[in-house]
Amino acid sequence: MTESIYIGRTILPQLQQVLQNLAFSKVAVLVDENTLHHCYPLVKSHLPEHDIIQINSGEEHKTLQTCEYIWQRMTELNLDRWSVLVNLGGGVIGDMGGFCAATFKRGMYFVQVPTTLLAQVDASVGGKTGIDFHGLKNHIGVYKEPHAVIIDPTFLNTLPQRQLKSGYAEIIKHWLIADATAFEEQRHIGLFTENWEALIRHSVGIKSAVVEEDPLEAGYRKVLNFGHTVGHAIESYLLEQPGRELLHGEAIAVGMLCEAFLSVKKDLLNRRELDQIETFMVSIYEKVKITEEDIQALSQLALQDKKNTRSTINCTLLQGIGKAVWDQPVTLAEIQESLRYYQLL
Amino acid sequence: MTESIYIGRTILPQLQQVLQNLAFSKVAVLVDENTLHHCYPLVKSHLPEHDIIQINSGEEHKTLQTCEYIWQRMTELNLDRWSVLVNLGGGVIGDMGGFCAATFKRGMYFVQVPTTLLAQVDASVGGKTGIDFHGLKNHIGVYKEPHAVIIDPTFLNTLPQRQLKSGYAEIIKHWLIADATAFEEQRHIGLFTENWEALIRHSVGIKSAVVEEDPLEAGYRKVLNFGHTVGHAIESYLLEQPGRELLHGEAIAVGMLCEAFLSVKKDLLNRRELDQIETFMVSIYEKVKITEEDIQALSQLALQDKKNTRSTINCTLLQGIGKAVWDQPVTLAEIQESLRYYQLL
């Protein structure tokens, strides 16, 4: 785990010290209306003098247009390369704020303060920044490590159950790709925990270890994409259908089931293991209704996935629970088949 | 000089080999109407199968809107992370194409084929990419080295004299900051040369050496900003005034004179050296007419310069001819005084 990731319930007071270590010129805090209301009050007293940049919440605002607004505000506030942007929020704030900071005057400081479980165990670690573009998830972005990540489980108290479940999907993913023992324990315990801090620390540990070995996703880092080929496609597709939008983790939960099915089909996972995953996931996540028409349309989106090469769909699959293999070619027909499997669950 | 920079009149045929070494998936060539007409015919036969992305020429199109168009075309062409964007053109094509490639799916390959003298000796070397934003030069961008730079002086045959002079300003800058002997020779020879290849090789050598020592401009690389504090301000200001637009090098020529004047004022350069620079520059570049009103307005722009910290204007000045010092604080009043010196030349 990189030294710049701080985890704990008493970590916020260290924020001021972390910033001071950067010898910053100015500080701005990026929030949306939710984090301004629920999270900013917890952070405010631990920040030096600062300005606020507020945007609208939601994946539908993770766009170039919002970046233009953020860059404009940064310019008005006279931020320079030695200023710090504190990204206070979930994955959208972290990804987009990180991208805006990484590109403003060719790069200023930024610090991630993730406030959702999803952002704490996934988006804030690993240096991926970006925005959606014409309906394609994280289509434009850069790799850039934040200068620090401050993870305080206290924020989770403000989070609706649906948001917690969404983040929990990435925790499950980390078990499935890297820790069979933890999965075995948890699938008997069932949903959730009394000790978020320990769970987050374990999950961030898995992700950090992967990222450290392969920061630019040349190979090994792709294990983290398990569930994301089908998951991103379904997420992008339903984002365009008012009333049907899924949270990221909800889409990844569907994607993991589909891709576990594909793992069985490719003889990498056995049927008993798939059953265990199925039972555990179905106990936590509501079924997402998809029609045959949906399957036709959303499987096309899998062709635009960033992980693909030369029009082959590359998928990360499970080689038994606790291990993943990447760049597994799958066909459009197989993607559709996996969605029909999910449909029939 | 990094190994990935190729210079010479017989270099274009190597383009195909350079691309093949990348094991690319697809190739797209970014052009404007000028380079499509004048330069593409020289390159076409040395490229594998490829698509063309065409944009409008000119600094006024170095915008987010044009990036959006380029990203859209890349998406339609199904480019992926293993595709190559060949940027065939001057600084605008190189900077903006580099930025679009560096951010598309978090980074695809790109190769610079600079076709102007300015881009050959300056923009294509050093990994700075970016676009203008709300009238501010290169305000949004990233550092990202191209995978290769192919510099062929043959392109200069298609270039108007005004464009050659613009590029020559950056060559002069390289002498002034790093090679007193070369400056001394050239100031007697006067404008231009029979051997562009040697001149380019020498100039790229100076720039590469600086960039290699300090790629992210933590300190030493700032010597390359000589002339650019006042130069960028005047360039941005006149860009907004139809009919008064300057080429980049023309603005930098003014900036170098103003900043040489400031170097004398700060006792870093002596008056005799300033006279030598003055005489040489005036023999090459037409005087740019600026009024007292212009001076008031454009000096304000120097406050937004990326090189500044905490609202101080930081300038790179000459410490004698052949050496530069950076982060020299200057006041708004001094910037204005230097512009009045230029006005009276």
Side-chain angles (χ1 to χ4, degrees):
Chain A
M1 201 176 309
T2 68
E3 285 170 64
S4 55
I5 303 176
Y6 305 84
I7 303 173
R9 283 196 181 271
T10 55
I11 213 70
L12 283 179
Q14 291 186 38
L15 192 50
Q16 189 138 20
Q17 190 54 52
V18 167
L19 293 177
Q20 236 115 49
N21 292 345
L22 294 177
F24 65 86
S25 58
K26 286 186 177 183
V27 176
V29 183
L30 182 67
V31 297
D32 60 32
E33 71 280 8
N34 296 325
T35 60
L36 182 65
H37 186 70
H38 296 293
C39 306
Y40 179 67
L42 302 177
V43 176
K44 189 180 176 183
S45 65
H46 304 301
L47 285 170
E49 197 191 327
H50 58 273
D51 290 292
I52 286 183
I53 301 177
Q54 186 182 341
I55 59 173
N56 292 325
S57 67
E59 183 83 23
E60 68 274 27
H61 295 110
K62 195 177 173 183
T63 60
L64 207 53
Q65 285 62 45
T66 311
C67 289
E68 196 166 356
Y69 172 75
I70 295 170
W71 286 322
Q72 173 62 29
R73 289 282 293 135
M74 287 172 164
T75 306
E76 288 163 3
L77 295 172
N78 277 313
L79 302 192
D80 62 28
R81 295 172 176 179
W82 295 268
S83 300
V84 189
L85 184 69
V86 177
N87 296 315
L88 183 69
V92 171
I93 290 268
D95 287 2
M96 185 160 49
F99 178 66
C100 287
T103 52
F104 186 73
K105 302 191 179 194
R106 293 201 195 90
M108 58 180 279
Y109 294 129
F110 66 103
V111 169
Q112 305 293 48
V113 185
T115 58
T116 65
L117 180 58
L118 183 73
Q120 292 187 341
V121 298
D122 187 26
S124 70
V125 179
K128 282 190 179 180
T129 75
I131 53 168
D132 304 338
F133 183 77
H134 296 197
L136 298 164
K137 286 268 304 167
N138 302 321
H139 198 59
I140 304 299
V142 292
Y143 286 96
K144 179 89 182 266
E145 283 288 347
H147 292 80
V149 185
I150 308 282
I151 300 176
D152 190 329
T154 311
F155 289 120
L156 304 185
N157 301 338
T158 70
L159 222 56
Q161 174 93 340
R162 192 179 164 194
Q163 288 277 356
L164 279 175
K165 283 191 183 181
S166 172
Y168 198 66
E170 293 286 356
I171 294 180
I172 295 172
K173 183 195 75 180
H174 288 147
W175 295 329
L176 289 176
I177 63 168
D179 194 336
T181 313
F183 178 75
E184 186 57 26
E185 274 171 32
Q186 290 292 330
R187 76 178 184 93
H188 294 297
I189 295 172
L191 179 58
F192 293 5
T193 175
E194 289 300 297
N195 191 349
W196 281 114
E197 187 173 329
L199 217 57
I200 292 168
R201 198 177 290 278
H202 178 255
S203 223
V204 167
I206 290 175
K207 174 148 189 191
S208 297
V210 173
V211 170
E212 229 163 88
E213 202 169 314
D214 177 21
L216 298 184
E217 201 164 299
Y220 179 52
R221 181 173 178 158
K222 295 181 189 173
V223 297
L224 296 171
N225 294 328
F226 174 64
H228 282 63
T229 300
V230 178
H232 269 168
I234 200 165
E235 185 181 9
S236 298
Y237 175 72
L238 292 180
L239 188 64
E240 306 288 315
Q241 314 235 337
R244 296 184 73 194
E245 303 89 344
L246 294 182
L247 295 176
H248 177 71
E250 292 171 337
I252 295 312
V254 179
M256 286 195 285
L257 279 166
C258 291
E259 294 175 23
F261 169 83
L262 291 173
S263 307
V264 172
K265 207 176 148 59
K266 302 278 182 186
D267 280 333
L268 293 162
L269 191 74
N270 66 45
R271 185 67 227 189
R272 189 183 48 81
E273 291 170 312
L274 178 60
D275 284 345
Q276 288 175 358
I277 297 170
E278 226 180 79
T279 308
F280 185 50
M281 302 289 278
V282 166
S283 78
I284 300 171
Y285 298 98
E286 260 183 67
K287 178 86 174 285
V288 178
K289 285 185 185 56
I290 45 172
T291 66
E292 182 58 30
E293 195 191 6
D294 294 334
I295 289 175
Q296 293 296 330
L298 78 86
S299 58
Q300 291 295 332
L301 287 174
L303 284 171
Q304 257 302 331
D305 196 88
K306 286 190 291 301
K307 297 178 281 297
N308 298 343
T309 40
R310 299 172 185 73
S311 307
T312 305
I313 302 174
N314 285 331
C315 205
T316 296
L317 300 178
L318 294 182
Q319 190 167 42
I321 286 172
K323 192 178 170 207
V325 284
W326 59 92
D327 283 348
Q328 301 293 307
V330 299
T331 64
L332 196 62
E334 286 169 331
I335 296 278
Q336 293 173 349
E337 194 186 340
S338 76
L339 284 158
R340 284 187 204 107
Y341 147 82
Y342 175 80
Q343 207 182 17
L344 296 173
L345 273 184
Chain B
M1 202 177 307
T2 68
E3 284 169 65
S4 55
I5 303 176
Y6 305 83
I7 303 173
R9 284 198 179 268
T10 55
I11 214 69
L12 283 178
Q14 292 186 38
L15 193 50
Q16 189 138 20
Q17 190 53 51
V18 166
L19 294 177
Q20 236 115 49
N21 291 346
L22 293 177
F24 64 85
S25 58
K26 286 187 177 185
V27 176
V29 183
L30 183 67
V31 297
D32 60 32
E33 70 281 9
N34 296 324
T35 61
L36 182 64
H37 185 70
H38 296 292
C39 306
Y40 178 66
L42 300 177
V43 176
K44 190 179 176 184
S45 65
H46 304 300
L47 285 171
E49 197 192 327
H50 58 274
D51 290 292
I52 286 184
I53 301 178
Q54 186 182 343
I55 59 172
N56 293 324
S57 67
E59 183 82 23
E60 68 272 28
H61 295 110
K62 196 178 172 183
T63 60
L64 207 53
Q65 285 64 44
T66 310
C67 290
E68 196 166 354
Y69 172 75
I70 295 170
W71 286 322
Q72 173 61 30
R73 289 282 293 135
M74 288 172 164
T75 306
E76 288 163 3
L77 295 172
N78 278 314
L79 302 192
D80 62 28
R81 295 172 176 180
W82 295 269
S83 300
V84 189
L85 185 69
V86 176
N87 296 315
L88 182 69
V92 171
I93 290 268
D95 287 3
M96 184 159 50
F99 178 65
C100 286
T103 53
F104 185 74
K105 302 192 179 193
R106 294 203 193 90
M108 58 179 279
Y109 294 129
F110 66 104
V111 169
Q112 307 291 48
V113 185
T115 58
T116 65
L117 181 59
L118 184 74
Q120 293 188 341
V121 298
D122 187 27
S124 69
V125 179
K128 283 190 179 179
T129 75
I131 53 168
D132 303 338
F133 182 77
H134 296 197
L136 297 164
K137 287 267 305 166
N138 301 321
H139 198 59
I140 304 300
V142 293
Y143 286 96
K144 179 88 182 269
E145 283 288 347
H147 292 79
V149 185
I150 309 280
I151 300 176
D152 190 329
T154 310
F155 289 121
L156 304 185
N157 301 339
T158 69
L159 222 56
Q161 174 91 340
R162 192 180 164 193
Q163 289 276 358
L164 279 175
K165 283 190 184 183
S166 172
Y168 199 65
E170 294 286 357
I171 294 180
I172 296 173
K173 183 195 76 181
H174 288 147
W175 295 329
L176 288 176
I177 63 168
D179 194 335
T181 312
F183 178 74
E184 186 58 26
E185 273 171 33
Q186 291 292 330
R187 79 179 182 91
H188 293 297
I189 296 171
L191 179 59
F192 293 5
T193 175
E194 289 300 298
N195 190 348
W196 282 113
E197 188 174 330
L199 218 57
I200 292 168
R201 199 177 288 278
H202 179 255
S203 223
V204 167
I206 290 175
K207 176 150 189 190
S208 296
V210 172
V211 169
E212 229 163 87
E213 201 169 315
D214 177 21
L216 298 184
E217 202 165 299
Y220 178 52
R221 180 172 178 160
K222 294 181 189 173
V223 297
L224 296 171
N225 293 327
F226 174 64
H228 283 63
T229 300
V230 176
H232 268 169
I234 200 166
E235 185 181 6
S236 299
Y237 176 71
L238 292 181
L239 188 64
E240 306 288 317
Q241 314 235 335
R244 297 184 73 194
E245 302 90 344
L246 293 182
L247 295 176
H248 177 70
E250 292 171 336
I252 296 313
V254 179
M256 285 195 284
L257 279 167
C258 291
E259 294 175 22
F261 169 83
L262 292 173
S263 307
V264 172
K265 208 176 147 58
K266 302 279 182 185
D267 281 333
L268 292 162
L269 192 73
N270 66 45
R271 186 65 226 189
R272 188 184 48 80
E273 292 170 311
L274 177 60
D275 285 345
Q276 288 175 359
I277 297 171
E278 225 180 82
T279 308
F280 185 50
M281 303 288 277
V282 166
S283 77
I284 301 172
Y285 299 98
E286 260 182 68
K287 179 87 174 284
V288 177
K289 285 186 186 53
I290 45 172
T291 66
E292 181 59 31
E293 197 191 5
D294 294 333
I295 290 176
Q296 294 294 330
L298 79 86
S299 57
Q300 292 294 333
L301 287 174
L303 284 170
Q304 259 299 333
D305 195 87
K306 287 189 290 301
K307 297 177 283 296
N308 299 341
T309 41
R310 299 171 185 77
S311 307
T312 304
I313 302 174
N314 286 330
C315 205
T316 296
L317 300 177
L318 295 182
Q319 191 168 42
I321 286 172
K323 193 179 171 207
V325 284
W326 60 91
D327 283 350
Q328 300 294 305
V330 299
T331 64
L332 196 62
E334 286 169 330
I335 295 279
Q336 293 173 348
E337 196 186 337
S338 76
L339 285 158
R340 283 186 205 107
Y341 147 81
Y342 176 80
Q343 205 180 18
L344 296 173
L345 274 184

